Structure formats: structure tokens, C-alpha cells
Amino acid sequence: ARVFILPSNMLRSMLSLRSSVLAAKASSMSSLSGGLIGVGVVRPFSASASAAAAEGSGSPPPQAPSKKVSAPIKMFDLDGRYATALYQAAASQNKLDAVKRDFESLVQAAKGSPTFTGFCMDPVMSRDKKTLAISSLAADFKVDNVTANFLKVLAENGRLNSIFTISERFEEQVNASSGTFVVKVTSASEVAPDGLAALEKIVKENYVDANAKVKLDVTVDESIMGGFKLQIGERMIDKSVATKLNQLEQALHKM
């Protein structure tokens, strides 16, 4: 078996990250049998790969999901497809809450660790080394097997650099499954409460079920000059002044 030696500064950072994650967890999580069936480019686990991953850890090999689950939001970009695969794996084993807590704790701790973020983004480190390191971290964090298996797949596929985005997309799926839609709003200035209520009404009347719960995530971007942009899953609704002016300018050039 190959042995990889990780840099001492990375090991120290990982130990610090481990402490942060354990502190961020509201309660300890059981190490349960789980698995991940890939979607698109996300590879399914083979029995041999599962056994190899579990060897020496005392954990049973992950099992295939017991029931077919459809994701509430269709996501077509690569990060969205990974998030959808994670959602389906967790939901099929009734582990959405556990996996969601895992990723919330991991991301919260990782954002405070520049070295760990650099490790995830490093394009030079081999996938084997990243897989070894992330598997060790997952074992130390005592995360659910669904989470551990997914992190391993990300490392093997060279996608750890997208872990934060994938985590956000996964949260969108979880929220939508409970009837809550997170709508990303871009405005040229701060939006007053009555303005937020008006936006929520627009969303419910035109883009989601009228009975759905809507959570507005507002970002201020002065460059759009006025109006707003809405993003609901893959759908983008652009009602900004900047875009309208750009469209007008292009139309004038064609005259």
C-alpha cells in the first residue's frame, strides 16, 4: 500500500479544523451505514471501493440507497448535479438532517481555516493524497457515512475545490424539500421591509407555488443601477436597470 506524508503545517491546520468542527456540532453523530449513487459524472460506489474505504475504520461498506428519491429542484450545472446526488443519497436513507448538520459544521469550521481552504483548492496535490486526507478528517469528525462517502468521491473526482458551492446547492435542495424556496435577490440598494414583502408576493404569484415558504437572500450590488435580479434554483429573472439599458444599447446598434 502506498504511504503519503502530508506537510506538517497541513496536519496542524487539520487538527485545528477538527477541534473547530467538533465544537460546532450540536450533538455527536452516529457513524451509520450509507452510500451515494452518482448522477451524471458522479461515479457510483463499487463494492470493492466501498470495502477498501471501510477497511481499518470499523465501518461497514456503504450500501445502495433503499428507495428512489427525486430531488425537488432540477439542477443542471456540475455543482448542482453533485448536490442533487448527495440529496438523493441522504433522503433515500432518511439522513437529510444528519448530512445537513455535517456540512454546516464542516463548512463553518473550514471557512476559518485558510490552510484547509487552500488544501481544497490546491490544483497540484494529487487526488490520492486529497482522498487520504479527507477520509481521515471524515473519520475524526465522526460524520455520517453518506457525508464521508461523498467527501471521498469529491476528492477522487478532483472536485473538493467546489465543496462550498456544492454545500450551498445541497442546502437549496433540502430547503425546497420542506416547501421552502431560497430566492437570491440582487438589488442596487438596501431593500425596505415593504419592498421585501412585495418581492415575496411577486415570487409566489409568478415563480413558485403560492403556498410555498419563500426565504429571500438579499445582496446589494450598485452596478445593476436599479430594479432587481432574482435567482430561484437554476432560473434567473433579470429586471435590473443595467440589463435593460444594455439591451436598449444593443438594439440601437442594430438600427
Side-chain angles (χ1 to χ4, degrees), residues 1-6 43 119 124-136 152 154-158 160:
R2 289 174 293 179
V3 177
F4 299 104
I5 305 299
L6 297 177
R43 298 190 288 105
F119 159 74
V124 178
M125 182 178 292
S126 71
R127 296 184 182 186
D128 285 339
K129 286 185 177 181
K130 284 193 173 184
T131 301
L132 175 69
I134 206 69
S135 296
S136 176
K152 182 173 180 288
L154 289 184
E156 290 176 342
N157 289 357
L160 276 178

Side-chain angles (χ1 to χ4, degrees), residues 175-198:
N175 287 333
S177 70
S178 63
T180 300
F181 288 84
V182 178
V183 180
K184 294 183 179 179
V185 180
T186 304
S187 172
S189 59
E190 294 291 339
V191 184
D194 57 340
L196 292 175

Side-chain angles (χ1 to χ4, degrees), residues 74-152:
K74 291 183 179 180
M75 296 181 172
F76 301 102
D77 63 301
L78 190 54
D79 291 341
R81 289 162 69 186
Y82 273 93
T84 298
L86 176 59
Y87 173 87
Q88 291 176 316
S92 67
Q93 299 177 58
N94 298 316
K95 294 183 176 183
L96 278 176
D97 288 342
V99 174
K100 184 172 181 288
R101 286 195 300 268
D102 282 345
F103 271 90
E104 286 174 347
S105 297
L106 179 61
V107 170
Q108 177 184 342
K111 285 183 176 179
S113 172
T115 302
F116 179 77
T117 301
F119 159 74
C120 291
M121 303 297 175
D122 190 346
V124 178
M125 182 178 292
S126 71
R127 296 184 182 186
D128 285 339
K129 286 185 177 181
K130 284 193 173 184
T131 301
L132 175 69
I134 206 69
S135 296
S136 176
L137 281 172
D140 283 345
F141 296 162
K142 295 180 174 61
V143 298
D144 189 273
N145 275 8
V146 172
T147 305
N149 292 338
F150 185 76
L151 291 173
K152 182 173 180 288

